[in-house]
Amino acid sequence: MNVQLTGTYRPSRDVVARKIEGEIILVPLAAGMGDLEDELYTLNPTGAAVWRMLDGRRTLRAVAAALAKEYRAAPATVRRDVLGLVAELARRRMVVAVPR
Amino acid sequence: MNGGALQSFEFGPEDFRELLRQTLARGVPLRFAAAGASMDPFIKDGDVLTVSPLPPRLSPGDIVAAVSPANGLVVVHRAVGLRGGAVLRPGPGRRPAGTGHPRGTRRPAGDAGHRAVAAGHRPAVAHQSAAARCPHRGGRQAPGAAMRTAAKRTAGRPVRLHPQLRSIKLPDLPLWHRARETRVPLAFELELTARCDNNCRHCYINLPAADASARARELTAAEIDGLARQAAALGSLWCLVTGGEPLLRPDFEEVYLALKRRGLLVSVFTNACLVDDRIVRLFQHYPPRDLEVTVYGVSRATYEAVTRVPGSFGRFIAGLGRLEQAGIRPRLKAMALRSNLHELPRIAAFCRRHTRDYFRFDPQLHLRYDRDRSRNREIAAQRLSPAEVVAVERADRSRRRALQRNCERLLPRGNGGRGLFFCRAGLDSFTIGWDGSFKLCGALTDPACTCDLRNGTLQEAWSTFAPTVRNKRPRDGRFKNACGACDLINLCLWCPAHAYLETGARDEPVDGFCEMATARQRLIRP
């Protein structure tokens, strides 16, 4: 999956994010998104922060910059994490690219 | 067979799981023929697998056998990562088929075939009881625990999740911990309609498909979406869509997708007669969590003797065929009643051939939710005698085992007669009636135990009304000395909902039920 820092993404309409006991749980609606029938997906706190920022307007570079500032983390590390997570989400069709 | 030749045995899913569990517990490998195609092409239907005890170290890419917490079946998949145990993945390009492996063959180790390695296990929990028709007693939606096993690594690259994204199996959801401590409505049933295209003799709810009055009282798609939003806010995760026949509603797709888009795991009960290409495409793209189809007969004469609708058998076969051709395998189940008893063995055989995982049947019939006397007489005429029920249960090994498990869990002296409820209805589940009524369960139709969701919120119904129903007490001391003190209650159909349907009182014993429970006790504890 070719995910670029210049790209913008939003959550797919085929996944529902639910907050259960403080955790973001991703519930796939469509076939082929999950690996198992009894499996959902959850994001850790930084993953949840990325998810919230995938609004279809901000580029991944802007998302990473905002997170690096918020978490006082090395920008290069955050960019790598954001790219990796979004690539995984895109591979599972949980996020979709928004044409600019 | 003799002379050292292999001897094959067929097992039901539950028996196979127990065989596997007990064999591995002794440190002995078990060899069996795989059923299902979820690991195709690496493991094909009929391939011989050898499952061995878990090695000291499990690696991504290993093939593992496990008991699915969702349905209690043994499944074989590839481990894709390790986090406190195996994270499993089905075979490439296939939606998992929930495969059990009922065709067991004990062989000496050493033959060719895939080798698997089994781990220890936690005890399985929360199987639906065959004894208790009411799902709330068996904890239908509660998660099971997995017995994890591992197998020799085969071809194929393991899939690793990004560290910020974690797969979470349903039993590991934090929701369960909260649910144990507080009342969370984890699951609810939604009766989309009471109308049905069939007119089954034994049905407790069906109204004619063209019943305009009933149709006018049904919840609209917008009302259902509003209730689904409220249910999700209360913490609901499972939604069972039932009827009547839910596919009868022209807006079924809209309703189904609305429920899914609220983040609910939606299951559907249907007779499959109305499954057309549109429904197939819907379920292909947006699979239901479970799809269950009732089989009333496997010949036109028997099927239509039950449904009383000419042509229904052909529509059922066509609908089931459409699903199967599209790779959608529903779970098949049956009702045992006077009109199809002669065909029950053939029905069971058909269901076991075609079902997604396991087959179950129910030999006990509810009376009507609307207490229609004429229809109740028809249902009574379809009921099997205790001797007949016991005979069909004796003939079905998995059902007999389920009864035995329930017998081992018999409530000590009932519940002491303190309250009417033995189940979890109203504690972790509820039902939305087709007319917008809120009920603790579908069968609890006593007007004193229902409220109208059109005149209030689901939050109010769950938080305020449901506890008042749960707290209802028997009228006098008679209950305490009857059903309230009976230690066969888990073998009995009795509950306040059924007592009301049978007698008009929530705390009244039902003579026929006592006879049935006693006969079942003799079956499993002769």
Side-chain angles (χ1 to χ4, degrees):
Chain A
M1 189 61 62
N2 186 22
V3 174
Q4 305 287 335
L5 284 170
T6 52
T8 57
Y9 293 82
R10 63 164 174 77
S12 163
R13 292 190 177 88
D14 286 342
V15 67
V16 175
R18 292 188 58 178
K19 194 169 185 178
I20 298 179
E21 284 297 278
E23 282 193 78
I24 300 292
I25 307 287
L26 303 181
V27 183
L29 308 189
M33 302 181 81
D35 287 333
L36 280 179
E37 290 176 331
D38 63 341
E39 193 172 47
L40 306 177
Y41 294 86
T42 183
L43 294 160
N44 71 7
T46 50
V50 174
W51 180 266
R52 282 193 295 272
M53 291 186 181
L54 298 177
D55 56 7
R57 295 192 302 272
R58 276 182 274 210
T59 63
L60 295 188
R61 189 186 304 282
V63 169
L67 287 172
K69 186 175 179 183
E70 182 180 341
Y71 288 90
R72 296 179 184 174
T77 304
V78 177
R79 281 196 295 272
R80 190 172 62 241
D81 278 355
V82 168
L83 280 174
L85 175 61
V86 174
E88 175 78 39
L89 293 168
R91 188 179 68 78
R92 292 173 180 276
R93 296 184 286 119
M94 291 178 176
V95 296
V96 293
V98 177
R100 302 192 72 188
Chain B
M1 288 186 282
N2 300 315
L6 300 177
Q7 186 170 2
S8 294
F9 302 94
E10 292 218 344
F11 295 93
E14 293 177 356
D15 290 339
F16 177 72
R17 184 184 61 229
E18 284 310 307
L19 174 67
L20 181 61
R21 193 191 301 278
Q22 291 181 22
T23 305
L24 297 174
R26 294 188 176 95
V28 178
L30 179 72
R31 181 155 300 169
F32 59 94
S38 65
M39 284 290 289
D40 195 351
F42 298 107
I43 300 175
K44 292 184 180 299
D45 187 39
D47 275 359
V48 174
L49 303 180
T50 302
V51 179
S52 303
L54 183 71
R57 187 176 176 79
L58 193 63
S59 302
D62 285 340
I63 302 297
V64 299
V67 173
S68 165
N71 53 29
L73 297 177
V74 176
V75 295
V76 177
H77 288 309
R78 190 187 313 283
V80 297
L82 303 174
R83 190 174 288 108
V87 178
L88 309 177
R89 180 177 188 269
R94 300 294 181 111
R95 186 167 164 268
T99 49
H101 298 275
R103 297 199 296 276
T105 307
R106 287 294 298 266
R107 297 186 186 188
D111 290 2
H114 302 269
R115 291 191 64 80
V117 193
H121 61 84
R122 292 180 278 154
V125 296
H127 301 279
Q128 181 172 5
S129 157
R133 177 188 169 89
C134 172
H136 304 293
R137 258 189 225 166
R140 171 170 42 78
Q141 285 92 355
M147 173 183 71
R148 296 195 166 98
T149 61
K152 192 174 181 179
R153 186 170 185 147
T154 63
R157 292 180 58 195
V159 176
R160 291 176 188 279
L161 291 175
H162 190 272
Q164 291 171 345
L165 180 70
R166 183 167 68 95
S167 72
I168 184 166
K169 296 174 77 64
L170 289 173
D172 299 327
L173 278 177
L175 188 63
W176 307 118
H177 304 294
R178 182 174 146 217
R180 288 191 200 103
E181 294 160 6
T182 58
R183 284 178 63 242
V184 177
L186 298 174
F188 70 96
E189 289 187 17
L190 173 63
E191 297 167 358
L192 269 195
T193 177
R195 296 175 298 120
C196 187
D197 49 323
N198 286 336
N199 182 27
C200 293
R201 297 174 183 277
H202 64 285
C203 186
Y204 53 81
I205 192 171
N206 61 358
L207 296 174
D211 187 326
S213 168
R215 186 169 185 168
R217 293 168 61 198
E218 289 169 3
L219 290 167
T220 65
E223 287 173 322
I224 291 169
D225 185 41
L227 290 167
R229 177 181 50 77
Q230 295 178 57
L234 288 170
S236 295
L237 195 52
W238 277 266
C239 174
L240 168 61
V241 175
T242 181
E245 172 49 52
L247 300 187
L248 196 60
R249 288 206 28 165
D251 58 357
F252 173 82
E253 180 173 341
E254 178 186 356
V255 170
Y256 175 78
L257 290 177
L259 294 167
K260 293 202 67 147
R261 289 190 171 122
R262 293 295 177 187
L264 297 165
L265 305 176
V266 184
S267 298
V268 178
F269 285 3
T270 175
N271 59 29
C273 293
L274 298 175
V275 170
D276 56 16
D277 291 341
R278 190 172 58 94
I279 293 295
V280 167
R281 282 195 299 274
L282 176 68
F283 287 165
Q284 271 184 313
H285 195 63
Y286 296 103
R289 168 132 191 97
D290 275 311
L291 181 63
E292 290 198 3
V293 173
T294 307
V295 180
Y296 302 111
V298 290
S299 66
R300 179 180 169 183
T302 301
Y303 191 95
E304 294 180 5
V306 175
T307 65
R308 297 186 287 196
V309 174
S312 56
F313 180 65
R315 287 191 287 277
F316 156 68
I317 291 294
L320 186 62
R322 285 190 188 97
L323 290 169
E324 290 184 331
Q325 282 173 13
I328 303 168
R329 294 193 74 181
R331 180 174 303 125
L332 300 187
K333 58 187 178 181
M335 296 297 299
L337 55 150
R338 179 73 49 216
S339 291
N340 70 6
L341 182 61
H342 64 285
E343 204 168 276
L344 192 60
R346 286 181 58 205
I347 294 172
F350 175 91
C351 289
R352 289 194 171 101
R353 276 199 311 277
H354 291 269
T355 191
R356 164 188 162 187
D357 38 31
Y358 59 85
F359 159 70
R360 64 186 166 88
F361 70 95
D362 196 332
Q364 291 187 281
L365 306 181
H366 284 278
L367 291 185
R368 297 277 301 184
Y369 287 180
D370 58 11
R371 309 198 70 215
D372 182 298
R373 290 184 179 182
S374 168
R375 294 298 306 264
N376 275 347
R377 281 194 292 275
E378 290 180 338
I379 294 172
Q382 290 296 320
R383 281 178 162 169
L384 306 183
S385 70
E388 288 170 320
V389 167
V390 166
V392 296
E393 289 180 331
R394 179 181 285 120
D396 187 300
R397 184 192 289 185
S398 59
R399 185 173 181 85
R400 196 168 71 242
R401 291 277 171 84
L403 280 167
Q404 284 169 334
R405 276 201 308 274
N406 246 25
C407 199
E408 289 161 5
R409 292 200 300 258
L410 289 178
L411 301 169
R413 304 291 295 167
N415 65 1
R418 289 184 299 277
L420 287 167
F421 290 88
F422 297 90
C423 65
R424 299 283 303 167
L427 296 179
D428 58 17
S429 59
F430 65 88
T431 293
I432 298 175
W434 59 275
D435 55 356
S437 57
F438 173 90
K439 304 182 277 189
L440 266 56
C441 75
L444 190 56
T445 53
D446 179 353
C449 298
T450 69
C451 66
D452 187 352
L453 289 168
R454 285 176 166 131
N455 291 329
T457 66
L458 188 57
Q459 165 77 42
E460 291 165 348
W462 178 254
S463 302
T464 306
F465 180 71
T468 66
V469 177
R470 284 287 310 192
N471 288 332
K472 287 190 184 297
R473 294 289 179 258
R475 290 168 300 178
D476 52 41
R478 287 184 306 154
F479 174 79
K480 189 172 181 178
N481 298 319
C483 301
C486 182
D487 59 5
L488 298 183
I489 201 73
N490 272 14
L491 297 176
C492 184
L493 193 59
W494 194 92
C495 71
H498 292 159
Y500 176 78
L501 295 180
E502 299 280 339
T503 71
R506 294 185 301 268
D507 55 1
E508 197 72 20
V510 182
D511 289 342
F513 289 4
C514 299
E515 202 181 335
M516 186 74 72
T518 304
R520 280 176 154 172
Q521 184 194 29
R522 285 197 294 269
L523 167 67
I524 58 181
R525 284 185 180 169

